[in-house]
């Protein structure tokens, strides 16, 4: 069987690069020259456009080399195949033309966008045929076919892997999922995003070891034509070598293409030709492409034009930029999932129903499915709709098993997926593999879910499985399964350990925990409790009269051991933040920090950056800002390096109105630090990063950053243009409420930014053309002042009374804003705003948020990212529980407020006051001193364990 030997793969790829580099560079340089000299300029431009290179010609050769490498790699694989399996025919090959005629590599015209070099395939044939033939055969003689197949994930670029979610699954994981889903009765098995077929190959290995005696039919869909070619070759080899007795068919197509469910997949591009619906599958397994929502537009080039034309017609929108293409992919997937699409007109109807806010009358089941499809979050990665896709392709009572990112468990976008699992399937296993080495080249914490296509069964027993770290290290799944089986006295031999472990799990009737794994068995009705807290989901859920009320638990809690702490949080002394007058939001997102953010530097810092010349005589003043020095006549305008800054008119009279700040001047690849005089009224102090902070309470004066808030100021040109587009009455009305042109230096700063260029996926644009900045411009009315791309609207949620960093490592401090002069909080933070605020209540909640009782909830329920970072979102904070202040005495509230007041003057590293807060809170929430000490020790132990576990990732 083919498998990817990770220890050998890198060495083989290094060998491939060394052997093939010369011929790749030769072909690349000659093709580049032909682009400039021949009539294939249109092909060249199209290729550049598809590869986002239209304005990045310095990257052209590098990108072209990668495409040539892929083509050369495919040729070499075919040569080795011919040489090994069709030796007689291969002996007759003595030139390039004969060689190519033997290679079974023909892409359909509609698919060449994936691999644009095939558009000028014939041009390639005319470049030194004899030399290419010699090089290809020589390269082929240096490799074994299996070795070459194993390096495919290195041949494709890292960018392509990220854009299309191509992360190749560890061998044991593939076999394990197969063992959990495939039985003797399973006949038809689908991998909807099969890549090079490794998942199917691993499954075949498992089945051959078991010898079910029943021939099974495997189908693999693969959107990437080159990857599909590799997969076809893999299974052609295995078939020739009689490695298995089952049928395997690889189809180069998009799994979301709606005609898959009503047509012969091989005829998908013949849109007028009607076909009967294909047979559904008994088992659907795989490692779905993990594509973040921001990258969905990368799928655009794979979608047949008929669907694009339908979208343009229904939505009346062009598809000329990456943002629009991403929106198209989103609508295309949702429309496809609605199903029953037999022709392009049906597809248009589904698009229209996606576009509508209200739906036509449907029966309960149809309406529920429609709400799931339309309602899942646009922030979801591609694995969420892939689960829904698998459901549509699966037989009733069929099995579905995927390995995916585990972020859906604790992220807000996972709510709709959980509703899908609970209501439309019968869950068997939910596994957290965050401590398992699953992928060689992706730092993604993973999960496995195994479920059946069945309706909601409240008594169904679900096994939640959490593999542990051993000695603070992650291990592979094979090691963990063997260790667990040995500990359970169930291990027999090395053969087919995946099936051994699967059988052991099946027979497990009660919770299990050892040094390697924690398994908790819960009834499916218990999974509903978290969903009932979501108003959006509550409206969608069918009647739950037969489900007894349960104490609310989050899915992430089921991976943890039941403890006395869980009982503590379930008492009536706690209350959800959602039920309080507390608003949780994200800080301000500018859309372009280089324009909106400034930094104020001291004299010494300005001097070090070469932005100021001369010297002041007294060293003790070098830590002061420009304004302080100017006011004391220690420096004058001549002290500035004038080539970097515009001086305000009559500055010596109006200097109190301005602040001298630095900013990052960025024009494509040109970057430098420059100076600007900006009027104070347009600047507000801001905290940009946790690096700006080291205390729980940071005052306005201590922050070095400013953010540009234009308020009612507009560019002079925009001010003059108002007269051309609006009435005198409108303009006078706006002036009366404060609309005014900027002063000269602020105006000059913004005018400079209008000429700066930014590289985007669809080419070079100017800063004001950035999509996010264009949204700041409004259509003014008598009540609404005109706004423009530079009009950053400041809201109360961008300030907040308390805020916390979104990306955290060892510490998770909640910081108090300056109550006397509040500053703006960047989107790097989550803000907490208390309604009906008074200083006592603020200090109480400030103390509570910094307590270990809140820290433990965050460690358990927030998202662990690559590198061990803990990502806190607003949705996480909205779900946490805090002590109910109404049950506390005035004396307790006073002590808690005093502790908050003391804490705000401390550094983040100070644990003493936090310890006193913990002790006080626990004394309020439990009955005896012994309970307090025991619980406190357990809480700190859990926090430390969870923190260390994620930091080891």
């Amino acid at each position: 069987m083919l498998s990817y030997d990770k220890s050998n793969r890198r060495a083989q790829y290094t060998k491939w690069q060394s052997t093939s580099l010369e011929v790749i560079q030769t072909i690349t340089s000659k093709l580049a020259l032909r682009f400039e000299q021949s009539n294939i300029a249109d092909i060249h431009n199209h290729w550049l456009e598809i590869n986002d290179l239209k304005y990045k010609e310095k990257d052209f050769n590098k990108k072209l080399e990668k495409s040539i490498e892929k083509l050369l790699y495919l040729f070499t694989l075919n040569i080795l195949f011919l040489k090994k399996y069709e030796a007689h025919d291969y002996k007759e090959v003595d030139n390039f033309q004969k060689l190519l005629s033997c290679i079974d590599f023909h892409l359909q015209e509609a698919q060449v966008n994936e691999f644009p070099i095939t558009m000028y395939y014939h041009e390639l044939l005319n470049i030194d045929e004899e030399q290419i033939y010699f090089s290809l055969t020589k390269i082929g003689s240096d490799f074994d076919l299996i070795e070459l197949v194993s390096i495919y994930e290195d041949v494709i670029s890292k960018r392509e892997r990220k854009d299309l979610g191509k992360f190749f699954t560890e061998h044991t994981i593939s076999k394990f999922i197969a063992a959990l889903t495939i039985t003797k009765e399973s006949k038809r098995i689908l991998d909807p995003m099969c890549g090079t077929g490794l998942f199917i190959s691993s499954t075949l290995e498992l089945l051959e070891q078991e010898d079910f005696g029943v021939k099974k039919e495997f189908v693999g869909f693969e959107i990437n034509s080159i990857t599909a070619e590799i997969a076809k070759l893999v299974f052609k080899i295995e078939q020739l070598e009689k490695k298995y007795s089952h049928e395997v068919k690889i189809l180069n197509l998009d799994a979301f293409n709606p005609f898959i469910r009503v047509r012969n997949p091989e005829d998908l591009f013949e849109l007028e030709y009607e076909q009967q619906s294909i047979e559904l599958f008994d088992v659907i397994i795989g490692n779905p492409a993990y594509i973040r929502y921001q990258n969905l537009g990368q799928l655009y080039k794979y979608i047949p034009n008929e669907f694009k034309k339908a979208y343009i017609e229904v939505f009346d929108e062009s598809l000329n930029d990456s943002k629009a293409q991403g929106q198209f992919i989103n609508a295309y997937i949702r429309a496809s999932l609605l199903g029953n699409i037999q022709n392009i007109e049906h597809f248009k109807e589904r698009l229209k129903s996606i576009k509508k806010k209200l739906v036509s009358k449907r029966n309960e089941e149809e309406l529920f499915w429609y709400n799931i499809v339309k309602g899942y979050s646009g922030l979801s990665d591609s694995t969420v709709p892939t689960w829904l896709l698998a459901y549509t392709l699966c037989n009733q009572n069929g099995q579905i098993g995927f390995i995916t990112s585990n972020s859906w468990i604790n992220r807000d976008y996972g709510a709709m997926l959980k509703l899908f699992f609970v209501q439309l399937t019968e869950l068997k296993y939910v596994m957290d593999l965050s401590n398992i080495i699953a992928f060689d080249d992706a730092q993604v914490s993973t999960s496995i879910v195994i479920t059946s296509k069945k309706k909601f069964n409240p008594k169904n027993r679900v096994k939640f499985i959490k593999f542990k770290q051993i000695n603070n290290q992650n291990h592979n799944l094979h090691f963990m399964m063997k260790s667990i089986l040995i500990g359970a006295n169930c291990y027999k031999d090395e053969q087919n350990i995946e099936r051994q472990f699967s059988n052991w799990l099946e027979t497990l009737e009660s919770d299990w925990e050892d040094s390697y794994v924690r398994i908790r068995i819960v009834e499916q009705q218990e999974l509903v409790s978290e969903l009932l807290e979501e108003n959006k989901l509550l409206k969608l859920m069918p009647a739950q009269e037969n489900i007894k009320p349960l104490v609310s638990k989050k899915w992430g809690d089921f991976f943890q051991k039941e403890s006395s702490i869980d009982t503590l949080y379930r008492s009536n002394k706690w209350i959800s933040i959602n039920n309080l007058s507390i608003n949780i939001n994200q800080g301000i997102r500018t859309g372009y920090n280089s324009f909106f953010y400034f930094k104020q530097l001291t004299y010494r810092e300005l001097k070090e950056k070469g932005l100021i010349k001369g010297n002041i005589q007294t060293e003790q003043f070098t830590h002061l800002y420009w304004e302080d020095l100017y006011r004391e006549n220690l420096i004058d305008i001549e002290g500035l390096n004038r080539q970097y800054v515009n001086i305000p008119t009559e500055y010596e009279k109006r200097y109190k109105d301005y602040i001298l700040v630095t900013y990052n001047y960025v024009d494509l690849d040109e970057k430098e630090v420059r100076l600007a005089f900006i009027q104070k009224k347009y600047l507000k102090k801001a905290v940009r990063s946790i690096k700006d902070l080291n205390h729980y309470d940071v005052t306005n004066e201590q922050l070095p950053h400013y953010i540009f808030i234009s308020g009612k100021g507009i560019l002079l040109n925009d001010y003059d243009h108002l007269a051309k587009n609006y009435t005198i009455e409108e303009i006078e009305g706006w002036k009366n409420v404060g609309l005014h042109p900027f002063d000269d230096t602020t105006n000059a700063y913004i005018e400079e930014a209008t000429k700066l260029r930014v590289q985007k996926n669809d080419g070079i644009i100017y800063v004001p053309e950035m999509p996010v900045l264009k949204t700041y411009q409004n259509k003014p009315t008598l009540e609404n002042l005109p706004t423009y791309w530079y009009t950053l609207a400041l809201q109360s949620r961008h300030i907040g009374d308390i805020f916390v960093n979104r990306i955290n490592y060892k510490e998770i401090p909640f910081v108090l804003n300056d109550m006397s002069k509040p500053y703006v909080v960047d989107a790097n933070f989550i803000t907490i705003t208390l309604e009906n605020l008074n200083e006592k209540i603020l200090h109480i909640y400030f103390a509570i948020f910094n307590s270990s009782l809140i820290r433990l909830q965050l460690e358990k329920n927030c998202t662990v990212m690559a590198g061990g970072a803990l990502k806190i979102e607003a949705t996480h904070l909205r779900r946490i529980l805090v002590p109910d202040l109404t049950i506390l005495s005035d004396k307790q509230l006073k002590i808690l407020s005093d502790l908050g007041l003391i804490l705000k003057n401390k550094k983040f590293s100070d644990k003493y006051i936090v310890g006193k807060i913990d002790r006080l809170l626990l004394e309020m929430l439990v009955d005896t001193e012994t309970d307090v000490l025991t619980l406190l020790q357990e809480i700190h132990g859990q926090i430390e364990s969870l923190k260390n576990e994620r930091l080891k990732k």
Side-chain angles (χ1 to χ4, degrees):
M1 288 291 168
L2 294 177
S3 63
Y4 287 62
D5 183 351
K6 295 175 184 176
S7 61
N8 187 47
R9 195 191 78 198
R10 300 289 178 176
Q12 289 300 324
Y13 181 59
T14 301
K15 178 182 174 183
W16 160 257
Q17 284 184 313
S18 174
T19 307
S20 62
L21 184 60
E22 182 178 351
V23 67
I24 291 171
Q25 290 181 339
T26 300
I27 296 173
T28 300
S29 60
K30 293 193 175 184
L31 272 178
L33 184 63
R34 292 179 74 84
F35 284 147
E36 297 176 4
Q37 298 177 347
S38 72
N39 59 358
I40 61 172
D42 290 343
I43 294 174
H44 167 54
N45 289 335
H46 183 58
W47 190 87
L48 289 174
E49 181 180 345
I50 287 173
N51 287 277
D52 300 330
L53 292 171
K54 195 166 186 179
Y55 298 99
K56 296 172 75 175
E57 299 205 3
K58 68 173 185 175
D59 293 336
F60 169 70
N61 281 359
K62 184 177 180 181
K63 191 91 174 185
L64 183 57
E65 273 190 13
K66 203 64 185 174
S67 285
I68 296 292
E69 181 183 5
K70 284 201 294 185
L71 188 60
L72 192 68
Y73 171 81
L74 190 64
F75 282 165
T76 308
L77 280 176
N78 277 277
I79 290 168
L80 290 171
F81 180 82
L82 289 169
K83 188 175 180 180
K84 184 171 184 178
Y85 297 103
E86 300 182 22
H88 177 73
D89 292 339
Y90 182 76
K91 289 176 182 176
E92 304 298 321
V93 174
D94 59 4
N95 62 63
F96 191 41
Q97 293 293 346
K98 283 185 181 179
L99 179 64
L100 293 178
S101 67
C102 292
I103 293 178
D104 182 22
F105 174 46
H106 306 289
L107 298 181
Q108 298 181 39
E109 184 177 350
Q111 296 167 276
V112 296
N113 280 354
E114 187 279 326
F115 194 54
I117 197 169
T118 57
M119 297 180 67
Y120 46 80
Y121 185 81
H122 292 292
E123 293 295 328
L124 175 61
L125 306 189
N126 295 324
I127 299 177
D128 292 342
E129 294 181 8
E130 184 176 347
Q131 179 63 35
I132 291 178
Y133 171 73
F134 174 78
S135 299
L136 283 170
T137 52
K138 181 180 183 303
I139 293 170
S141 67
D142 291 335
F143 284 89
D144 174 80
L145 181 60
I146 306 303
E147 289 177 344
L148 200 61
V149 168
S150 75
I151 69 168
Y152 176 66
E153 59 187 285
D154 295 291
V155 172
I156 59 177
S157 67
K158 289 183 179 180
R159 170 71 184 270
E160 183 176 349
R161 270 182 280 167
K162 180 179 179 181
D163 287 346
L164 297 179
K166 290 179 177 294
F167 301 109
F168 298 85
T169 322
E170 198 269 331
H171 191 54
T172 301
I173 292 176
S174 308
K175 293 173 67 177
F176 180 46
I177 292 176
L180 292 169
T181 54
I182 298 175
T183 65
K184 185 175 181 179
E185 290 71 32
S186 308
K187 294 180 180 178
R188 287 171 50 79
I189 300 149
L190 171 70
D191 183 344
M193 298 172 186
C194 70
T196 55
L198 180 60
F199 213 106
I200 295 176
S201 183
S202 302
T203 302
L204 290 169
E205 181 180 343
L206 177 83
L207 297 184
E208 290 302 316
Q209 290 171 351
E210 294 181 320
D211 189 20
F212 280 149
V214 178
K215 186 175 182 179
K216 300 185 185 301
E217 177 188 355
F218 285 84
V219 177
F221 296 157
E222 174 51 42
I223 194 171
N224 182 296
S225 56
I226 299 302
T227 310
E229 288 292 323
I230 303 298
K232 289 176 184 177
L233 189 62
V234 164
F235 293 111
K236 188 185 291 185
I237 293 168
E238 295 196 343
Q239 188 176 38
L240 287 169
E241 295 190 353
K242 303 188 185 306
K243 295 288 187 182
Y244 56 83
S245 56
H246 306 283
E247 180 183 349
V248 178
K249 192 171 188 179
I250 304 298
L251 301 173
N252 176 210
L253 51 83
D254 166 28
F256 285 104
N257 190 309
F259 295 146
I260 286 176
R261 295 182 286 281
V262 294
R263 299 173 184 274
N264 183 332
E266 294 181 323
D267 298 324
L268 287 181
F269 295 98
E270 300 176 19
L271 296 180
E272 294 80 16
Y273 186 68
E274 297 292 341
Q275 290 284 343
Q276 295 298 314
S277 174
I278 66 169
E279 187 181 350
L280 297 177
F281 295 89
D282 302 310
V283 177
I284 299 179
I285 54 176
N287 168 21
Y290 176 65
I291 308 175
R292 299 181 187 275
Y293 72 94
Q294 302 97 322
N295 294 333
L296 281 177
Q298 298 297 328
L299 298 174
Y300 176 79
K301 57 190 174 187
Y302 297 101
I303 310 303
N305 289 330
E306 285 78 3
F307 298 115
K308 298 172 185 175
K309 292 175 183 176
Y311 176 86
I312 292 171
E313 179 181 327
V314 171
F315 282 82
D316 192 26
E317 294 178 1
S318 65
L319 296 174
N320 296 328
D321 58 58
S322 57
K323 182 179 179 182
Q325 291 167 7
Q327 291 170 340
F328 159 71
I329 294 296
N330 193 306
Y332 163 78
I333 289 174
R334 292 180 197 265
S336 173
L337 290 174
L338 290 179
N340 195 24
I341 299 174
Q342 300 183 25
N343 53 53
I344 207 69
E345 291 303 317
H346 289 167
F347 179 70
K348 291 178 185 177
E349 290 301 315
R350 302 299 174 272
L351 286 177
K352 290 175 183 176
S353 67
I354 291 293
K355 185 179 179 182
K356 291 177 182 177
K357 292 185 178 179
L358 299 175
V359 298
S360 57
K361 188 174 182 181
R362 302 169 185 262
N363 65 45
E364 185 176 320
E365 288 189 3
E366 287 178 336
L367 183 60
F368 183 73
W369 180 251
Y370 171 85
N371 285 325
I372 289 283
V373 170
K374 187 173 180 180
Y376 74 79
S377 172
L379 302 180
S380 305
D381 62 64
S382 60
T383 59
V384 172
T386 303
W387 272 108
L388 306 183
L389 170 72
Y391 182 84
T392 69
L393 294 171
C394 189
N395 279 316
Q396 192 66 27
N397 301 323
Q399 306 293 310
I400 308 174
F402 285 150
I403 177 172
T404 70
S405 158
N406 70 356
S407 58
W408 63 272
I409 295 172
N410 291 323
R411 294 285 292 276
D412 191 44
Y413 77 73
M416 199 65 76
L417 183 59
K418 292 173 185 175
L419 179 61
F420 159 76
F421 282 140
V422 168
Q423 295 297 145
L424 296 180
T425 79
E426 193 172 273
L427 279 163
K428 296 176 68 176
Y429 302 101
V430 182
M431 306 185 198
D432 182 351
L433 272 66
S434 56
N435 296 324
I436 295 292
I437 301 171
F439 301 115
D440 186 41
D441 56 353
Q443 292 182 318
V444 178
S445 292
T446 54
S447 64
I448 290 175
V449 175
I450 308 295
T451 193
S452 300
K453 185 176 178 178
K454 296 180 181 179
K455 289 187 178 180
F456 175 64
N457 174 8
K459 295 299 182 181
N460 173 55
R461 304 183 81 209
V462 187
K463 293 183 174 78
F464 277 75
I465 302 173
K466 169 83 171 182
F467 294 97
K468 300 180 180 180
Q469 285 185 339
I470 309 300
N471 297 322
N472 291 327
Q473 296 295 323
N474 292 351
H475 291 272
N476 62 50
L477 185 60
H478 186 279
F479 169 83
M480 298 296 282
M481 290 193 298
K482 181 178 178 180
S483 301
I484 294 165
L485 289 172
I486 290 173
N489 296 317
C490 296
Y491 179 69
K492 295 180 180 178
D493 54 49
E494 281 287 346
Q495 187 178 17
N496 211 339
I497 196 168
E498 296 83 10
R499 181 61 72 182
Q500 287 187 55
F501 194 70
S502 170
N503 290 339
W504 178 74
L505 284 177
E506 286 282 350
T507 59
L508 201 63
E509 292 295 330
S510 58
D511 292 357
W512 174 279
E513 183 165 4
D514 60 21
S515 301
Y516 302 93
V517 71
R518 179 184 300 116
I519 302 174
R520 291 185 61 186
I521 303 176
V522 300
E523 290 186 346
Q524 191 153 324
Q525 64 179 344
E526 292 187 61
L527 307 182
V528 176
S529 62
E530 178 185 336
L531 309 181
L532 293 174
E533 292 182 350
E534 299 280 345
N535 290 332
K536 180 180 178 181
L537 299 185
L538 195 57
K539 295 175 183 177
L540 303 183
M541 294 179 71
Q544 303 292 333
E545 292 87 355
N546 297 325
I547 301 176
K548 61 182 180 181
L550 298 167
V551 177
S552 177
K553 290 195 69 174
K554 300 177 178 63
W555 285 32
D557 293 340
F558 294 115
F559 292 114
Q560 308 300 325
K561 184 178 181 180
E562 190 78 22
S563 68
S564 52
I565 297 177
D566 296 303
T567 306
L568 169 69
Y569 284 119
R570 289 177 192 160
S571 77
N572 58 7
K573 297 179 181 180
W574 294 83
I575 188 169
S576 170
I577 283 185
N578 266 338
N579 297 325
L580 297 171
S581 298
I582 297 178
N583 296 315
I584 312 290
N585 291 287
Q586 193 170 350
I588 194 165
R589 187 180 299 278
T590 69
Y592 193 55
N593 286 347
S594 295
F595 171 79
F596 287 101
Y597 275 114
F598 300 100
K599 189 172 184 180
Q600 190 178 27
L601 300 183
T602 64
Y603 178 89
R604 181 182 292 112
E605 292 168 327
L606 291 170
K607 184 73 175 175
E608 289 171 352
K609 292 183 178 294
L611 299 173
I612 199 167
K613 56 187 179 180
N615 290 293
I616 54 177
Q617 298 302 314
T618 309
E619 179 67 23
Q620 70 186 62
F621 296 127
T622 58
H623 68 285
L624 298 177
Y625 294 120
W626 166 271
E627 290 72 25
D628 301 319
L629 297 170
Y630 191 86
R631 183 179 62 249
E632 300 299 328
N633 295 317
L634 294 171
I635 198 169
D636 58 29
I637 288 296
E638 298 305 317
L640 288 174
N641 197 330
R642 298 290 290 273
Q643 65 176 327
Y644 290 108
V645 64
N646 292 308
I647 307 300
T649 304
E650 297 184 327
Y651 178 71
E652 63 278 2
K653 296 179 181 179
R654 304 174 55 209
Y655 71 89
K656 292 182 181 179
D657 296 335
Y658 290 88
I659 299 177
L660 180 67
V661 291
T662 62
Y663 65 95
N664 292 320
Y665 175 92
V666 182
D667 183 31
L668 292 182
D669 295 330
E670 182 185 354
K671 299 179 182 179
E672 63 182 6
V673 177
R674 292 189 176 183
L675 290 169
F677 279 104
I678 305 295
Q679 278 201 335
K680 288 182 181 179
K681 63 182 178 181
Y682 305 124
L683 296 176
K684 291 189 179 295
K685 279 292 183 75
V687 56
R688 289 193 64 181
S689 164
I690 193 68
K691 295 178 181 178
D692 294 343
L693 311 167
N694 56 20
H695 283 75
Y696 287 101
D697 177 29
V698 177
T699 63
N700 188 294
E701 288 75 14
Q702 292 172 308
L703 294 172
H705 291 109
Y706 288 93
I707 191 167
F708 182 73
I709 306 293
S710 59
K712 298 176 182 179
I714 64 173
L715 282 175
L716 185 58
N717 284 341
D718 292 330
Y719 194 81
D720 293 339
H721 289 162
L722 290 176
K724 299 179 180 179
N725 301 298
Y726 300 98
T727 65
I728 294 175
E729 291 78 8
E730 288 174 314
I731 295 171
E732 287 300 319
W734 295 329
K735 289 180 180 179
N736 289 337
V737 294
L739 188 70
H740 63 275
F742 291 119
D743 61 283
D744 55 345
T745 55
T746 305
N747 198 84
Y749 171 73
I750 302 173
E751 286 286 4
E752 176 190 76
T754 64
K755 301 170 186 176
L756 298 178
R757 297 164 296 170
V758 179
Q759 179 71 51
K760 301 296 284 185
N761 287 338
D762 40 354
I764 289 177
I765 59 175
Y766 290 99
V767 167
E769 298 171 343
M770 294 178 69
V772 66
L773 300 187
K774 289 169 73 173
T775 63
Y776 299 159
Q777 185 160 341
N778 70 351
K779 293 181 179 180
T781 64
L782 283 173
E783 294 77 24
N784 297 319
L785 291 172
T787 60
Y788 299 87
W789 66 267
Y790 48 81
T791 310
L792 191 62
L794 184 64
Q795 308 292 333
S796 60
R797 66 177 183 271
H798 298 144
I799 297 172
D801 304 311
I802 303 170
F803 55 93
V804 63
N805 201 32
R806 293 178 65 216
I807 307 299
N808 302 272
Y809 288 90
K810 291 185 177 181
E811 307 301 330
I812 309 179
F814 285 76
V815 182
L816 199 62
N817 206 325
D818 189 336
M819 294 182 66
S820 59
K821 295 165 65 176
Y823 42 82
V824 180
V825 178
D826 184 80
N828 287 323
F829 300 92
I830 300 299
T831 62
I832 301 170
T833 308
L834 283 65
E835 298 177 13
N836 306 316
L837 176 68
N838 66 61
E839 190 170 346
K840 178 182 177 182
I841 294 297
L842 177 60
H843 288 148
I844 288 172
Y845 277 111
F846 175 59
I848 289 172
F849 279 118
N850 278 297
S851 71
S852 298
L853 295 172
I854 301 301
R855 171 69 181 269
L856 179 57
Q857 293 183 65
L858 297 176
E859 288 284 1
K860 290 175 67 174
N861 298 316
C862 294
T863 304
V864 178
M865 303 179 67
L870 191 71
K871 186 175 186 180
I872 299 176
E873 301 283 15
T875 51
H876 295 141
L877 284 185
R878 293 188 190 113
R879 292 174 180 170
I880 66 173
L881 300 172
V882 295
D884 186 354
L885 300 188
T886 62
I887 66 169
L888 304 184
S889 67
D890 290 342
K891 181 180 178 181
Q892 289 173 324
L893 292 174
K894 174 69 166 57
I895 297 172
L896 200 53
S897 176
D898 290 344
L899 287 173
L901 184 61
I902 297 170
L903 179 66
K904 75 177 191 177
N905 297 313
K906 300 295 183 180
K907 289 186 176 181
F908 294 157
S909 57
D910 190 298
K911 303 296 182 187
Y912 178 71
I913 301 302
V914 172
K916 295 190 72 171
I917 294 169
D918 291 341
R919 181 73 176 265
L920 177 63
L921 289 175
L922 285 174
E923 287 173 351
M924 299 173 185
L925 297 167
V926 298
D927 299 326
T928 68
E929 185 174 342
T930 304
D931 287 335
V932 169
L933 295 175
T934 303
L935 275 175
L936 194 56
Q937 186 176 12
E938 186 176 349
I939 289 168
H940 289 162
Q942 282 199 23
I943 291 173
E944 196 66 19
S945 175
L946 290 166
K947 182 184 73 174
N948 289 337
E949 181 178 309
R950 63 176 171 82
L951 289 175
K952 289 291 182 181
K953 296 190 184 306

